[in-house]
Amino acid sequence: MDARNNAAARAALARAGEDAAARHLAERGYAILERNLVVGDDEADLVALTPGGAVAVVEVKTRAGPWHPEDRVDAVKRARLVRLAVALSAREAFRERLFQFDVVAVSMPPG
């Protein structure tokens, strides 16, 4: 598989994982507000309103194979999510709201 096909396969896997995560959260009462939100140099896969009214900044990790996708959320990524949340909290729509950080790990069958 050449690099272009490999990148396309990774992008398709990531998109499938984000779609599955959005469905999972919506089924639990979350309202998805944004997908792939970019603020400055920071990006969140999903931003949602929880059933309790908090703003959830969601990182989705999708992998095919026998390991834990959530292990890939390192300190650098966590810092970027915090920075994004701080920027969001300055927006009128999000002032006075609590924020939470969620990781949704999606494991797909290999292949």
Side-chain angles (χ1 to χ4, degrees), residues 40-58:
D41 292 333
D42 305 316
E43 187 256 348
D45 295 320
L46 301 169
V47 176
L49 201 59
T50 70
V55 177
V57 177
V58 183

Side-chain angles (χ1 to χ4, degrees), residues 3-79:
R4 197 175 16 220
N5 287 341
N6 194 23
R10 280 194 316 270
L13 180 67
R15 181 64 181 187
E18 289 174 8
D19 289 345
R23 280 192 309 274
H24 174 79
L25 293 173
E27 288 167 359
R28 281 149 185 80
Y30 284 59
I32 306 300
L33 304 175
E34 298 277 351
R35 291 183 70 145
N36 302 110
L37 176 66
V38 176
V39 177
D41 292 333
D42 305 316
E43 187 256 348
D45 295 320
L46 301 169
V47 176
L49 201 59
T50 70
V55 177
V57 177
V58 183
E59 177 67 10
V60 179
K61 287 297 183 188
T62 307
R63 293 290 183 264
W67 63 287
H68 302 286
E70 65 274 19
D71 291 342
R72 303 295 292 191
V73 182
D74 61 12
V76 171
K77 182 61 180 181
R78 288 191 305 269

Side-chain angles (χ1 to χ4, degrees), residues 62-103:
T62 307
R63 293 290 183 264
W67 63 287
H68 302 286
E70 65 274 19
D71 291 342
R72 303 295 292 191
V73 182
D74 61 12
V76 171
K77 182 61 180 181
R78 288 191 305 269
R80 289 180 176 197
L81 292 172
V82 168
R83 203 168 43 221
L84 183 136
V86 168
L88 283 180
S89 71
R91 294 182 181 180
E92 183 67 33
F94 298 116
R95 287 192 191 132
E96 309 285 328
R97 292 209 182 257
L98 297 176
F99 278 74
Q100 69 183 45
F101 300 93
D102 295 347
V103 176

